[in-house]
Amino acid sequence: MLVLCSNALSVYFASHSIRTVVVTTLACSLLLQVGYFASVLFLIWRSSRASRAGQMAEHFGSCKEIGY
């Protein structure tokens, strides 16, 4: 919210146009949402990758105990 408000104020003082403020604030909001979505996808990917690596290490550890 702070980013959007500061963006709106800075654009308004630079251009003195409400239409430009609305368009740039919506664009900024869209970019923030895309960045948030991408970061959540990255965290899910990293978590699943770490989980698979742990399962593989667990599997190979049990194979050594059996003697394969």
Side-chain angles (χ1 to χ4, degrees):
M1 204 61 167
L2 182 65
V3 171
L4 292 176
C5 288
S6 64
N7 177 44
L9 286 173
S10 63
V11 169
Y12 181 74
F13 287 129
S15 68
H16 296 291
S17 170
I18 297 295
R19 183 175 182 215
T20 306
V21 169
V22 171
V23 169
T24 56
T25 303
L26 288 176
C28 183
S29 174
L30 180 66
L31 285 175
L32 286 172
Q33 289 295 320
V34 167
Y36 178 75
F37 183 70
S39 67
V40 168
L41 286 180
F42 174 73
L43 289 174
I44 292 170
W45 172 76
R46 191 174 72 175
S47 174
S48 68
R49 188 172 177 213
S51 175
R52 269 188 283 163
Q55 288 174 353
M56 293 294 283
E58 196 175 290
H59 173 71
F60 286 126
S62 66
C63 289
K64 286 181 183 177
E65 290 173 4
I66 295 172
Y68 285 110

